[in-house]
Each structure stands twice: as structure tokens, then as C-alpha cells.
Coordinates of all heavy atoms in Angstrom, one line a residue:
M1466 N 77.8 122.5 89.1 CA 78.3 121.2 89.2 C 79.0 120.9 87.8 O 78.5 121.2 86.8 CB 77.2 120.2 89.5 CG 77.7 118.8 89.9 SD 76.3 117.6 90.0 CE 75.5 118.1 91.5
P1467 N 80.2 120.3 87.9 CA 80.9 119.9 86.6 C 80.0 119.0 85.8 O 79.2 118.2 86.3 CB 82.2 119.2 87.0 CG 82.4 119.6 88.4 CD 81.0 119.9 89.0
M1468 N 80.1 119.1 84.4 CA 79.2 118.3 83.6 C 79.2 116.8 83.8 O 78.1 116.2 83.9 CB 79.5 118.6 82.1 CG 78.4 118.2 81.2 SD 78.5 119.0 79.6 CE 79.8 118.0 78.8
L1469 N 80.4 116.2 83.9 CA 80.4 114.8 84.1 C 79.8 114.4 85.4 O 79.0 113.4 85.4 CB 81.9 114.3 84.0 CG 82.1 112.8 84.1 CD1 81.3 112.1 83.0 CD2 83.5 112.4 84.1
E1470 N 80.1 115.1 86.4 CA 79.5 114.8 87.8 C 78.0 114.9 87.7 O 77.2 114.0 88.2 CB 80.0 115.8 88.8 CG 79.6 115.4 90.2 CD 80.1 116.4 91.2 OE1 81.0 117.3 90.9 OE2 79.7 116.3 92.4
E1471 N 77.5 115.9 86.9 CA 76.0 116.1 86.8 C 75.4 114.9 86.0 O 74.3 114.5 86.4 CB 75.8 117.4 86.0 CG 74.4 118.0 86.2 CD 74.3 119.4 85.6 OE1 75.2 120.2 85.9 OE2 73.5 119.6 84.7
Q1472 N 76.1 114.5 85.0 CA 75.6 113.3 84.3 C 75.6 112.0 85.1 O 74.7 111.2 85.0 CB 76.4 113.2 83.0 CG 76.0 114.3 82.0 CD 77.0 114.5 80.9 OE1 78.1 114.0 80.9 NE2 76.6 115.2 79.9
L1473 N 76.6 111.9 85.9 CA 76.7 110.7 86.7 C 75.6 110.7 87.7 O 74.9 109.7 88.1 CB 78.1 110.5 87.4 CG 79.2 110.2 86.4 CD1 80.5 110.3 87.2 CD2 79.1 108.9 85.8
Q1474 N 75.4 111.9 88.2 CA 74.3 112.1 89.2 C 72.9 111.8 88.6 O 72.0 111.2 89.2 CB 74.3 113.6 89.7 CG 73.3 113.9 90.8 CD 73.5 113.1 92.1 OE1 74.6 113.0 92.6 NE2 72.5 112.4 92.6
G1475 N 72.8 112.2 87.3 CA 71.6 111.9 86.5 C 71.3 110.4 86.4 O 70.1 110.0 86.5
L1476 N 72.4 109.6 86.3 CA 72.2 108.2 86.2 C 71.6 107.6 87.5 O 70.7 106.8 87.5 CB 73.6 107.6 86.0 CG 73.8 106.3 85.3 CD1 73.1 106.3 83.9 CD2 75.3 105.9 85.2
K1477 N 72.1 108.1 88.6 CA 71.7 107.7 89.9 C 70.2 108.2 90.2 O 69.4 107.4 90.7 CB 72.6 108.2 91.0 CG 72.3 107.9 92.4 CD 72.6 106.4 92.7 CE 72.5 106.1 94.2 NZ 71.2 105.8 94.7
T1478 N 70.0 109.4 89.8 CA 68.6 110.0 90.0 C 67.6 109.2 89.2 O 66.5 108.9 89.7 CB 68.6 111.4 89.5 OG1 69.6 112.2 90.2 CG2 67.2 112.1 89.8
T1479 N 68.0 108.8 87.9 CA 67.1 108.0 87.1 C 66.9 106.6 87.7 O 65.7 106.2 87.8 CB 67.7 107.8 85.7 OG1 67.9 109.1 85.1 CG2 66.8 107.0 84.8
F1480 N 67.9 106.0 88.2 CA 67.8 104.7 88.8 C 66.8 104.8 90.0 O 65.9 104.0 90.2 CB 69.2 104.2 89.3 CG 69.1 102.8 90.0 CD1 69.1 101.7 89.3 CD2 69.1 102.8 91.4 CE1 69.0 100.4 89.9 CE2 69.0 101.5 92.0 CZ 69.0 100.4 91.3
D1481 N 67.1 105.8 90.9 CA 66.3 106.0 92.1 C 64.8 106.2 91.8 O 63.9 105.7 92.5 CB 66.8 107.1 93.0 CG 68.2 106.8 93.6 OD1 68.6 105.6 93.6 OD2 68.8 107.8 94.1
K1482 N 64.6 107.0 90.8 CA 63.2 107.4 90.4 C 62.4 106.1 90.1 O 61.2 106.0 90.5 CB 63.3 108.3 89.2 CG 61.9 108.7 88.6 CD 62.1 109.6 87.4 CE 60.8 109.7 86.6 NZ 61.0 110.4 85.3
Y1483 N 63.0 105.2 89.4 CA 62.2 104.0 89.0 C 62.3 102.9 90.0 O 61.4 102.1 90.3 CB 62.7 103.5 87.6 CG 62.3 104.5 86.5 CD1 63.2 105.4 86.1 CD2 61.0 104.4 86.0 CE1 62.9 106.4 85.1 CE2 60.7 105.4 85.0 CZ 61.6 106.3 84.6 OH 61.3 107.3 83.7
A1484 N 63.5 102.8 90.6 CA 63.7 101.7 91.6 C 62.8 101.9 92.9 O 62.4 100.9 93.5 CB 65.2 101.6 92.1
G1485 N 62.4 103.1 93.2 CA 61.7 103.3 94.4 C 60.2 103.1 94.2 O 59.4 103.2 95.2
K1486 N 59.7 102.7 93.0 CA 58.3 102.6 92.8 C 57.6 101.5 93.6 O 56.5 101.6 93.9 CB 58.0 102.4 91.3 CG 58.2 103.6 90.4 CD 57.8 103.5 89.0 CE 57.8 104.8 88.3 NZ 57.2 104.8 87.0
D1487 N 58.4 100.4 93.9 CA 57.8 99.3 94.7 C 58.1 99.4 96.1 O 57.8 98.5 96.9 CB 58.2 98.0 94.1 CG 59.7 97.7 94.3 OD1 60.4 98.7 94.7 OD2 60.1 96.6 94.1
G1488 N 58.8 100.5 96.6 CA 59.1 100.6 98.0 C 60.5 100.1 98.3 O 61.0 100.5 99.3
D1489 N 61.1 99.3 97.4 CA 62.5 98.9 97.6 C 63.3 99.8 96.7 O 63.4 99.6 95.4 CB 62.6 97.4 97.2 CG 64.1 97.0 97.2 OD1 64.9 97.8 97.6 OD2 64.3 95.8 96.7
K1490 N 64.0 100.7 97.3 CA 64.8 101.7 96.5 C 66.1 101.2 96.0 O 66.8 101.8 95.2 CB 65.0 103.0 97.3 CG 63.7 103.8 97.5 CD 64.0 105.2 98.0 CE 64.2 105.2 99.5 NZ 64.3 106.6 100.1
G1491 N 66.5 100.0 96.5 CA 67.8 99.5 96.1 C 67.9 98.8 94.8 O 69.0 98.5 94.4
S1492 N 66.8 98.5 94.2 CA 66.9 97.6 93.0 C 65.7 97.9 92.1 O 64.6 98.3 92.6 CB 67.0 96.2 93.4 OG 65.9 95.8 94.1
L1493 N 65.8 97.5 90.9 CA 64.7 97.6 89.9 C 64.2 96.2 89.7 O 64.9 95.2 89.5 CB 65.3 98.0 88.5 CG 65.8 99.4 88.3 CD1 66.6 99.5 87.0 CD2 64.7 100.4 88.3
N1494 N 62.9 96.1 89.8 CA 62.3 94.8 89.4 C 61.9 94.9 87.9 O 62.1 95.9 87.3 CB 61.1 94.4 90.2 CG 59.9 95.4 90.2 OD1 59.8 96.0 89.2 ND2 59.2 95.5 91.3
K1495 N 61.3 93.8 87.4 CA 61.1 93.8 85.9 C 60.1 94.9 85.5 O 60.3 95.6 84.4 CB 60.6 92.4 85.5 CG 60.8 92.2 84.0 CD 60.5 90.8 83.6 CE 61.5 89.8 84.0 NZ 61.1 88.4 83.6
A1496 N 59.1 95.1 86.3 CA 58.1 96.2 85.9 C 58.7 97.6 85.9 O 58.4 98.4 85.1 CB 56.9 96.1 86.9
E1497 N 59.6 97.8 86.9 CA 60.3 99.1 87.0 C 61.2 99.3 85.8 O 61.3 100.4 85.3 CB 61.0 99.2 88.3 CG 60.1 99.3 89.6 CD 60.8 99.1 90.9 OE1 61.9 98.5 90.9 OE2 60.3 99.5 91.9
L1498 N 61.9 98.2 85.5 CA 62.8 98.3 84.3 C 62.0 98.6 83.0 O 62.4 99.4 82.2 CB 63.6 97.0 84.1 CG 64.6 97.1 83.0 CD1 65.8 98.0 83.2 CD2 65.1 95.7 82.6
A1499 N 60.9 98.0 82.9 CA 60.0 98.2 81.7 C 59.6 99.7 81.7 O 59.6 100.3 80.6 CB 58.8 97.3 81.8
D1500 N 59.2 100.2 82.8 CA 58.8 101.7 82.9 C 60.0 102.6 82.5 O 59.8 103.5 81.7 CB 58.4 102.0 84.4 CG 57.0 101.6 84.7 OD1 56.3 101.1 83.8 OD2 56.6 101.7 85.9
L1501 N 61.2 102.2 83.1 CA 62.4 103.0 82.8 C 62.7 103.0 81.3 O 62.9 104.1 80.7 CB 63.6 102.5 83.6 CG 64.9 103.3 83.5 CD1 65.7 103.0 84.8 CD2 65.7 103.0 82.3
L1502 N 62.6 101.9 80.7 CA 62.9 101.8 79.2 C 61.9 102.5 78.4 O 62.2 103.3 77.5 CB 62.9 100.3 78.8 CG 64.1 99.5 79.2 CD1 63.9 98.0 78.8 CD2 65.4 100.0 78.7
R1503 N 60.6 102.4 78.8 CA 59.5 103.0 78.0 C 59.6 104.5 78.1 O 59.5 105.2 77.1 CB 58.1 102.6 78.6 CG 57.0 102.9 77.7 CD 55.7 102.2 78.1 NE 55.5 102.3 79.5 CZ 55.5 101.2 80.4 NH1 55.5 100.0 79.9 NH2 55.3 101.4 81.7
E1504 N 60.0 105.0 79.3 CA 60.0 106.5 79.4 C 61.4 107.1 79.1 O 61.4 108.2 78.6 CB 59.6 106.9 80.9 CG 58.1 106.6 81.1 CD 57.7 106.8 82.5 OE1 58.2 107.7 83.2 OE2 56.8 106.0 83.0
E1505 N 62.4 106.4 79.3 CA 63.8 107.0 79.1 C 64.4 106.6 77.8 O 65.3 107.3 77.3 CB 64.7 106.6 80.2 CG 64.2 106.9 81.6 CD 64.1 108.4 82.0 OE1 64.8 109.2 81.4 OE2 63.3 108.7 82.9
F1506 N 64.0 105.4 77.3 CA 64.6 105.0 76.0 C 63.5 104.5 75.1 O 63.4 103.3 74.8 CB 65.6 103.8 76.2 CG 66.7 104.1 77.1 CD1 66.7 103.8 78.5 CD2 67.9 104.7 76.6 CE1 67.7 104.1 79.3 CE2 69.0 105.0 77.5 CZ 68.9 104.7 78.8
P1507 N 62.6 105.4 74.6 CA 61.5 105.0 73.8 C 61.8 104.2 72.6 O 61.1 103.2 72.3 CB 60.8 106.3 73.4 CG 61.4 107.4 74.3 CD 62.7 106.9 74.7
G1508 N 63.0 104.4 72.0 CA 63.4 103.6 70.9 C 63.8 102.2 71.2 O 63.8 101.3 70.3
M1509 N 64.0 101.9 72.5 CA 64.5 100.6 72.8 C 63.4 99.6 73.4 O 63.7 98.5 73.5 CB 65.6 100.7 73.9 CG 67.0 101.0 73.4 SD 68.1 101.1 74.8 CE 68.2 99.4 75.3
A1510 N 62.3 100.2 73.7 CA 61.2 99.4 74.2 C 60.8 98.3 73.3 O 60.4 98.6 72.2 CB 60.1 100.3 74.7
G1511 N 60.9 97.1 73.7 CA 60.4 96.0 72.8 C 59.3 95.2 73.4 O 58.6 95.7 74.3
D1512 N 59.1 94.0 72.9 CA 58.0 93.2 73.5 C 58.4 92.5 74.7 O 59.5 92.7 75.3 CB 57.5 92.2 72.4 CG 58.6 91.2 72.0 OD1 59.6 91.1 72.7 OD2 58.4 90.6 70.9
K1513 N 57.5 91.7 75.3 CA 57.8 91.1 76.6 C 58.9 90.1 76.6 O 59.8 90.1 77.5 CB 56.5 90.4 77.1 CG 56.6 89.9 78.6 CD 55.4 89.2 79.1 CE 55.7 88.7 80.5 NZ 56.9 87.9 80.6
K1514 N 59.1 89.4 75.5 CA 60.1 88.5 75.4 C 61.5 89.2 75.4 O 62.5 88.8 76.0 CB 60.0 87.6 74.1 CG 60.9 86.5 74.0 CD 60.4 85.5 72.9 CE 61.5 84.4 72.6 NZ 62.2 84.6 71.4
Q1515 N 61.6 90.3 74.6 CA 62.8 91.1 74.6 C 63.1 91.6 76.0 O 64.3 91.7 76.4 CB 62.6 92.2 73.6 CG 62.8 91.8 72.2 CD 62.5 92.9 71.2 OE1 61.4 93.6 71.3 NE2 63.4 93.1 70.2
L1516 N 62.0 92.1 76.7 CA 62.2 92.6 78.0 C 62.8 91.5 78.9 O 63.7 91.8 79.7 CB 60.9 93.1 78.6 CG 61.0 93.6 80.0 CD1 61.8 94.9 80.2 CD2 59.6 93.9 80.6
D1517 N 62.3 90.3 78.8 CA 62.7 89.2 79.7 C 64.2 88.9 79.4 O 65.0 88.8 80.3 CB 62.0 87.9 79.4 CG 60.6 87.9 79.9 OD1 60.3 88.8 80.8 OD2 59.7 87.1 79.6
T1518 N 64.6 88.9 78.1 CA 66.0 88.7 77.7 C 66.9 89.8 78.2 O 68.0 89.5 78.8 CB 66.1 88.6 76.2 OG1 65.2 87.6 75.7 CG2 67.5 88.2 75.8
F1519 N 66.4 91.0 78.1 CA 67.2 92.2 78.5 C 67.4 92.2 80.0 O 68.5 92.4 80.5 CB 66.5 93.4 78.0 CG 67.2 94.7 78.3 CD1 68.5 94.9 77.8 CD2 66.7 95.7 79.1 CE1 69.2 96.0 78.0 CE2 67.4 96.9 79.3 CZ 68.6 97.0 78.8
F1520 N 66.3 91.9 80.7 CA 66.3 91.9 82.2 C 67.3 90.8 82.7 O 68.1 91.1 83.5 CB 64.9 91.6 82.8 CG 64.8 91.7 84.2 CD1 64.6 93.0 84.8 CD2 65.0 90.7 85.1 CE1 64.5 93.1 86.2 CE2 65.0 90.8 86.5 CZ 64.7 92.0 87.0
A1521 N 67.3 89.7 82.0 CA 68.2 88.6 82.4 C 69.6 89.0 82.2 O 70.5 88.6 82.9 CB 67.8 87.3 81.7
S1522 N 69.9 89.7 81.1 CA 71.3 90.1 80.8 C 71.8 91.2 81.8 O 73.0 91.2 82.0 CB 71.4 90.6 79.3 OG 70.7 91.9 79.2
L1523 N 70.8 92.0 82.3 CA 71.2 93.0 83.3 C 71.4 92.4 84.7 O 72.3 92.8 85.5 CB 70.2 94.1 83.4 CG 70.5 95.4 82.6 CD1 70.6 95.2 81.2 CD2 69.4 96.4 82.9
D1524 N 70.6 91.4 85.0 CA 70.6 90.8 86.3 C 71.8 89.8 86.5 O 71.6 88.6 86.4 CB 69.3 90.1 86.6 CG 69.1 89.5 88.0 OD1 70.0 89.9 88.8 OD2 68.2 88.7 88.2
G1525 N 73.0 90.4 86.6 CA 74.2 89.6 86.6 C 74.2 88.5 87.7 O 74.7 87.4 87.4
D1526 N 73.7 88.8 88.9 CA 73.8 87.8 89.9 C 72.5 86.9 90.0 O 72.4 86.1 91.0 CB 74.1 88.4 91.3 CG 73.0 89.4 91.7 OD1 72.0 89.5 91.0 OD2 73.2 90.1 92.8
K1527 N 71.6 87.1 89.1 CA 70.4 86.3 89.0 C 69.5 86.3 90.2 O 69.0 85.2 90.6 CB 70.7 84.9 88.5 CG 71.6 84.7 87.3 CD 70.9 85.2 86.0 CE 71.8 85.3 84.9 NZ 71.4 86.3 83.9
D1528 N 69.4 87.4 90.9 CA 68.6 87.5 92.1 C 67.2 88.0 91.8 O 66.4 88.2 92.7 CB 69.3 88.3 93.2 CG 69.3 89.7 92.9 OD1 69.1 90.2 91.8 OD2 69.6 90.5 93.9
G1529 N 66.9 88.2 90.5 CA 65.6 88.7 90.1 C 65.4 90.1 90.2 O 64.3 90.6 89.9
T1530 N 66.4 90.9 90.5 CA 66.3 92.4 90.5 C 67.6 92.9 89.9 O 68.6 92.3 89.9 CB 66.2 93.0 92.0 OG1 67.3 92.7 92.7 CG2 64.9 92.4 92.6
V1531 N 67.5 94.2 89.5 CA 68.7 94.8 88.9 C 69.1 95.9 89.9 O 68.4 96.9 90.2 CB 68.3 95.5 87.5 CG1 69.5 96.4 87.1 CG2 68.0 94.4 86.5
S1532 N 70.3 95.7 90.5 CA 70.8 96.6 91.5 C 71.5 97.8 90.8 O 71.7 97.8 89.6 CB 71.9 95.9 92.3 OG 72.9 95.4 91.5
F1533 N 71.9 98.8 91.6 CA 72.5 100.0 91.0 C 73.8 99.6 90.3 O 74.1 100.0 89.1 CB 72.8 101.0 92.0 CG 73.3 102.3 91.4 CD1 72.5 103.0 90.5 CD2 74.6 102.8 91.8 CE1 73.1 104.2 89.9 CE2 75.0 104.0 91.2 CZ 74.3 104.7 90.3
P1534 N 74.7 98.8 90.9 CA 75.9 98.3 90.1 C 75.6 97.6 88.8 O 76.3 97.8 87.8 CB 76.6 97.4 91.1 CG 76.2 97.8 92.5 CD 74.7 98.3 92.3
E1535 N 74.5 96.8 88.8 CA 74.1 96.1 87.6 C 73.6 97.2 86.6 O 73.9 97.0 85.4 CB 73.1 95.1 87.9 CG 73.7 93.9 88.6 CD 72.6 92.9 89.2 OE1 71.5 93.3 89.3 OE2 73.0 91.7 89.4
F1536 N 72.9 98.2 87.0 CA 72.4 99.2 86.2 C 73.6 100.0 85.6 O 73.6 100.4 84.4 CB 71.5 100.1 87.0 CG 70.9 101.3 86.2 CD1 69.9 101.0 85.2 CD2 71.2 102.6 86.5 CE1 69.4 102.1 84.5 CE2 70.7 103.6 85.7 CZ 69.7 103.4 84.8
V1537 N 74.6 100.3 86.4 CA 75.7 101.1 85.9 C 76.5 100.3 84.8 O 76.9 100.9 83.9 CB 76.7 101.4 87.1 CG1 78.0 101.9 86.6 CG2 76.0 102.4 88.0
Q1538 N 76.6 99.0 85.1 CA 77.2 98.1 84.0 C 76.5 98.3 82.7 O 77.1 98.4 81.6 CB 77.1 96.7 84.5 CG 77.9 95.7 83.7 CD 79.4 95.8 84.0 OE1 79.7 95.9 85.2 NE2 80.2 95.8 83.0
F1539 N 75.1 98.3 82.8 CA 74.3 98.5 81.6 C 74.6 99.9 80.9 O 74.8 99.9 79.7 CB 72.8 98.4 82.0 CG 71.9 99.1 81.0 CD1 71.7 98.6 79.7 CD2 71.2 100.2 81.4 CE1 70.8 99.3 78.8 CE2 70.3 100.8 80.6 CZ 70.1 100.4 79.3
A1540 N 74.7 100.9 81.7 CA 74.9 102.2 81.2 C 76.3 102.3 80.5 O 76.5 102.9 79.4 CB 74.8 103.3 82.3
A1541 N 77.3 101.6 81.1 CA 78.7 101.6 80.6 C 78.7 100.9 79.3 O 79.3 101.3 78.3 CB 79.6 101.0 81.6
T1542 N 78.0 99.8 79.2 CA 77.9 99.0 78.0 C 77.2 99.8 76.8 O 77.7 99.8 75.7 CB 77.1 97.7 78.2 OG1 77.7 97.0 79.3 CG2 77.1 96.8 77.0
L1543 N 76.1 100.5 77.2 CA 75.4 101.4 76.3 C 76.4 102.4 75.7 O 76.3 102.7 74.5 CB 74.2 102.0 77.0 CG 73.0 102.5 76.2 CD1 72.4 101.4 75.4 CD2 72.0 103.1 77.1
L1544 N 77.1 103.0 76.6 CA 78.1 104.1 76.2 C 79.1 103.6 75.2 O 79.3 104.2 74.2 CB 78.8 104.6 77.5 CG 79.5 106.0 77.4 CD1 78.4 107.0 77.2 CD2 80.1 106.2 78.8
L1545 N 79.6 102.4 75.5 CA 80.6 101.8 74.6 C 79.9 101.5 73.2 O 80.6 101.7 72.2 CB 81.1 100.5 75.2 CG 82.1 100.7 76.4 CD1 82.4 99.3 77.0 CD2 83.3 101.4 75.9
I1546 N 78.7 101.0 73.2 CA 78.0 100.7 72.0 C 77.8 102.0 71.1 O 78.2 102.0 70.0 CB 76.7 100.0 72.2 CG1 76.9 98.6 72.8 CG2 75.8 99.9 70.9 CD1 75.7 97.9 73.3
V1547 N 77.3 103.0 71.8 CA 77.0 104.3 71.2 C 78.2 104.9 70.5 O 78.2 105.4 69.4 CB 76.3 105.3 72.1 CG1 76.3 106.7 71.6 CG2 74.9 104.8 72.5
F1548 N 79.3 104.8 71.2 CA 80.6 105.5 70.7 C 81.5 104.6 69.9 O 82.5 105.0 69.5 CB 81.3 106.1 71.9 CG 80.6 107.4 72.4 CD1 79.8 107.3 73.5 CD2 80.6 108.5 71.6 CE1 79.2 108.4 74.0 CE2 79.9 109.7 72.0 CZ 79.2 109.6 73.2
S1549 N 81.0 103.3 69.7 CA 81.9 102.5 68.8 C 81.2 102.3 67.4 O 81.8 101.7 66.5 CB 82.1 101.1 69.4 OG 80.8 100.4 69.6
I1550 N 80.1 103.0 67.3 CA 79.4 103.0 65.9 C 80.0 104.1 65.0 O 80.1 105.2 65.5 CB 77.9 103.1 66.1 CG1 77.3 101.9 66.8 CG2 77.2 103.3 64.7 CD1 75.9 102.0 67.2
Ligands
CA2014 CA1 70.7 91.4 90.5

């Protein structure tokens, strides 16, 4: 598989892995997002207040869950931050 395709697939695989924990595979709830951050981005894991703020910033439509498009938006933002430093 070409490298970029593999990495994009990895993004989806990561989302699915955590989103499926509560039986609803279509979105991340706050606990699932906390697990994802703790395990995939150990340097980013903060306290509960930071998690609340972060979750709210990801949940663009404010439905209380983070959908795959919202998660992709986050990954794109992260990419821009990483490569603009
Ligand atoms: Ca949402």
C-alpha cells in the first residue's frame, strides 16, 4: 500500500479502535477520547479541565460526541501545527 494511503488508513483504524469501545462505532465520547489521547499522544494528555476544553473544541456540531469528520479536522489541525513550527 502506498505510504500516504497507509497513513490515512491508520487514522481511520485509530478512530475505529477507540470509537467502538462503547458499542457506537461512529463517534468518540469523552471517555474514548481520553483513552485515545492517553495511549496515542502521551505528551498531550492533560487534566480533566483540559480534556473538557479539548473535547468541546473537537465537537464542532456540539452533539456531545466526536465524529470521524470532526476527528479528521483535528488531525489536519495537528499536522498544520506540527509543520508550521
Ligand atoms: Ca460532534
Side-chain angles (χ1 to χ4, degrees):
M1466 198 188 281
M1468 195 163 77
L1469 183 60
E1470 188 181 350
E1471 200 172 306
Q1472 286 163 346
L1473 292 174
Q1474 185 62 49
L1476 207 57
K1477 180 76 167 81
T1478 304
T1479 302
F1480 179 84
D1481 289 347
K1482 175 181 167 189
Y1483 294 93
K1486 289 189 172 187
D1487 68 348
D1489 173 9
K1490 288 196 278 192
S1492 60
L1493 292 166
N1494 61 30
K1495 203 175 283 181
E1497 290 168 338
L1498 181 72
D1500 282 352
L1501 188 155
L1502 288 177
R1503 194 168 45 240
E1504 290 173 36
E1505 308 291 337
F1506 302 95
M1509 280 181 66
D1512 60 18
K1513 189 180 176 307
K1514 191 166 170 251
Q1515 284 173 308
L1516 176 67
D1517 286 349
T1518 306
F1519 185 60
F1520 188 85
S1522 72
L1523 258 61
D1524 183 13
D1526 63 4
K1527 307 291 170 211
D1528 69 348
T1530 64
V1531 173
S1532 62
F1533 186 62
E1535 288 168 341
F1536 180 70
V1537 168
Q1538 190 77 44
F1539 156 67
T1542 304
L1543 201 61
L1544 198 62
L1545 288 173
I1546 291 170
V1547 168
F1548 287 102
S1549 63
I1550 292 171

